[in-house]
Amino acid sequence: MTVLLATDASAEENHTWLRALSQALPGERFVTSRNAAVDPEIDVAMVANPASGSLAGLPSLRLIQSLWAGVNGLLNDASVPADVPLARMVDPAMADAMAQTALWAVLSLHRGFYTCARDQREHRWGMHEQRRADEVGVTVLGLGQMGSRVARSLVREGYRVAGWSQRARSIDSVHCHVGAAALPSLLAQTQILINLLPLTPATVGLIDMHTLAALPRGASLVNLARGAHVVEADLLAALDSGHLEHAVLDVFAIEPLPVEHAFWDHARVTVLPHFAAQTDPRSAAQVAAANVRALREGRALAHLVDRQRGY
Amino acid sequence: MTVLLATDASAEENHTWLRALSQALPGERFVTSRNAAVDPEIDVAMVANPASGSLAGLPSLRLIQSLWAGVNGLLNDASVPADVPLARMVDPAMADAMAQTALWAVLSLHRGFYTCARDQREHRWGMHEQRRADEVGVTVLGLGQMGSRVARSLVREGYRVAGWSQRARSIDSVHCHVGAAALPSLLAQTQILINLLPLTPATVGLIDMHTLAALPRGASLVNLARGAHVVEADLLAALDSGHLEHAVLDVFAIEPLPVEHAFWDHARVTVLPHFAAQTDPRSAAQVAAANVRALREGRALAHLVDRQRGY
């Protein structure tokens, strides 16, 4: 049997993946394109933003292993066979990278480093209030693998951390809240809001004018999940009115962010090029390989997506 | 007896100090200026960058308690009586703030966030390599209260941390090196160099062309100690030649940094306004009060400066 690697990555990146995967699965045959319209040899597809149609007409396909954490693109592609088990990537190096990005954004906001950068451009030696970490309320939306890792990292640095999720969670020293009704009062106590929700029909557009208005004046937003969580026009209005202090955005409705977009030159927006957390082929190949071995040996697959729930 | 508070702070900041100190030492009398050329009532002076001469002619003075961590200004002022015990401020909140600033700078350098900020100004959706924290070698110069706190915080985030100090130190998971001879080979393995040394005759100008040349190409400097540790012309030359990737500078030869200084507009320099770690009056007043009580009760004073050593 054969493993298909279907990505939109460069040849160099695919080469890195193939090397890591071949080392992790020495007995497997890998291909990066299909030999025929109907290829009965392929039983596993490893995918990262595959072209639509790449996974159609594979009669032996038994596992789709995403190399990305987010699978909303795959779920929205009708050509992806809906009856084949789909696994998300749960890569510890990616969770580490996400925690680093979140910590960097929180430190920057808490300690006024974005303000410093504006001051530097104006040659201004500005003074800034210094608060302790335990005086800053940070709320993490989404307490899955990424969100819970981020919340724990912020607790360790002394922040006052709350979390919000669809299902009840328990994380040491994190005030965990559940469900839509709990959100408004939680937002009212939040200085820094970090979005790490999965993108599902229930969370699209969640961060809109109402959510932003529920934050206290001077709060900030850090979006590390998906662009479609945020209503960009509402975010711009909240920044321009002065209600919101700053936004750190790694993801956007359209990526790459169009060159004419208002976010680029906005003094209160930090634009990151969707790189908060990238999959690390060295560790992710091990995770993907473990699932392929489980498939071959008839054991349970890990990190399977619940297509109804959407993640 | 009376406690003199001598600072260059604003009236509002002095008011905050007086309130915190009065609460911590309810039985004491505080003054912010001397009533006479020779004031025999004053036996304790609490100081933060006091005007030269403020501490001269106080016949009963028995303790000078700095409200700052660095005491090089006091040691260089000949009007400060050399036979009165001088204590540094060792404020846990200040060490926390220093660790936050160092972590922010290291995360920014490691993950390419300063490059992102340059890309944003040019509306460029740039791609960046993602390394793991354990692939980044960070060296902390100075392993006193600040340096050791910073080193421990970086270890916790997974960085490969080395330390360098005058006297032998031992910190869990930190490769500690001692003395001038050990420095060149240590620098050769350093991607990020953090300066937290005390300013003494032995450390003035330590970070010069030779030290910078010993770093590998692409390394970065984070100076959180004193401006006089760095030969600014040598630093600019190392940045302009491309040998050094970036410098994060909180302290300068002249502060505030003059508006015409080349650092302000340098694309590879981040200027901070000497605010990496400020004393927090709430916790520092407790530390200062404990020393005043020790003095009154004849117990040993804490955090005394060795004037020969210079810190």
Side-chain angles (χ1 to χ4, degrees), chain A residues 55-305:
Chain A
L55 306 188
L58 295 171
S60 313
L61 194 62
R62 292 199 293 152
L63 168 63
I64 303 168
Q65 172 66 57
S66 176
L67 301 176
W68 283 11
V71 292
N72 52 292
L74 294 167
L75 296 182
N76 291 333
D77 181 347
S79 80
V80 173
D83 53 348
V84 176
L86 167 62
R88 294 186 305 124
M89 177 47 62
V90 176
D91 170 17
M94 205 193 315
D96 287 350
M98 189 63 90
Q100 291 162 359
T101 301
L103 186 54
W104 167 79
V106 168
L107 285 167
S108 299
L109 293 164
H110 158 214
R111 295 296 307 281
F113 293 122
Y114 295 127
T115 312
C116 274
R118 289 201 293 272
D119 284 349
Q120 181 174 350
R121 288 201 285 278
E122 299 169 11
H123 297 207
R124 187 169 50 219
W125 187 264
M127 276 297 116
H128 304 269
E129 182 200 17
Q130 179 182 291
R131 284 173 299 164
R132 294 192 309 249
D134 64 1
E135 297 173 294
V136 181
V138 185
T139 294
V140 181
L141 301 180
L143 294 173
Q145 196 222 2
M146 294 292 177
S148 57
R149 173 77 177 76
V150 163
R152 279 193 293 268
S153 160
L154 293 169
V155 162
R156 207 167 57 176
E157 291 301 321
Y159 291 98
R160 209 173 68 225
V161 182
W164 183 79
S165 54
Q166 197 72 26
R167 291 177 297 168
R169 300 271 184 177
S170 171
I171 304 172
D172 270 359
S173 304
V174 176
H175 304 277
C176 294
H177 303 254
V178 185
L183 195 53
S185 64
L186 177 57
L187 292 171
Q189 307 159 48
T190 299
Q191 276 89 56
I192 301 174
L193 182 66
I194 304 181
N195 179 35
L196 281 163
L197 286 166
L199 186 65
T200 70
T203 65
V204 166
L206 181 80
I207 300 171
D208 62 1
M209 65 173 75
H210 306 294
T211 297
L212 295 171
L215 291 166
R217 191 177 173 84
S220 294
L221 171 69
V222 181
N223 188 15
L224 305 176
R226 285 293 180 266
H229 284 124
V230 173
V231 179
E232 292 187 347
D234 291 2
L235 173 58
L236 278 168
L239 288 162
D240 290 338
S241 75
H243 180 70
L244 216 63
E245 170 65 23
H246 200 93
V248 181
L249 306 174
D250 186 51
V251 287
F252 304 90
I254 302 171
E255 296 178 10
L257 186 65
V259 287
E260 71 280 6
H261 199 289
F263 285 154
W264 285 114
D265 287 326
H266 202 294
R268 296 180 179 282
V269 175
T270 297
V271 172
L272 304 179
H274 200 150
F275 90 137
Q278 294 171 321
T279 309
D280 186 325
R282 296 168 294 184
S283 44
Q286 303 297 331
V287 175
N291 244 3
V292 172
R293 280 193 295 268
L295 179 78
R296 300 269 184 264
E297 295 163 13
R299 288 182 283 111
L301 298 170
H303 314 306
L304 287 182
V305 171

Side-chain angles (χ1 to χ4, degrees), chain B residues 139-160:
Chain B
T139 295
V140 181
L141 300 180
L143 294 173
Q145 195 223 2
M146 294 292 176
S148 56
R149 173 76 177 76
V150 163
R152 278 193 294 267
S153 161
L154 293 169
V155 163
R156 207 166 57 175
E157 291 301 321
Y159 291 99
R160 208 172 69 224

Side-chain angles (χ1 to χ4, degrees), chain B residues 213-281:
Chain B
L215 292 166
R217 190 176 174 85
S220 294
L221 172 69
V222 180
N223 188 15
L224 306 177
R226 286 290 180 267
H229 284 123
V230 172
V231 179
E232 293 187 347
D234 291 1
L235 173 58
L236 278 168
L239 288 163
D240 290 339
S241 75
H243 179 70
L244 216 62
E245 168 66 21
H246 200 92
V248 181
L249 306 174
D250 186 51
V251 288
F252 303 91
I254 301 171
E255 296 177 13
L257 186 65
V259 287
E260 71 280 7
H261 199 288
F263 285 153
W264 286 114
D265 287 327
H266 202 292
R268 297 180 177 281
V269 175
T270 297
V271 172
L272 304 179
H274 199 151
F275 89 137
Q278 294 171 321
T279 310
D280 186 325

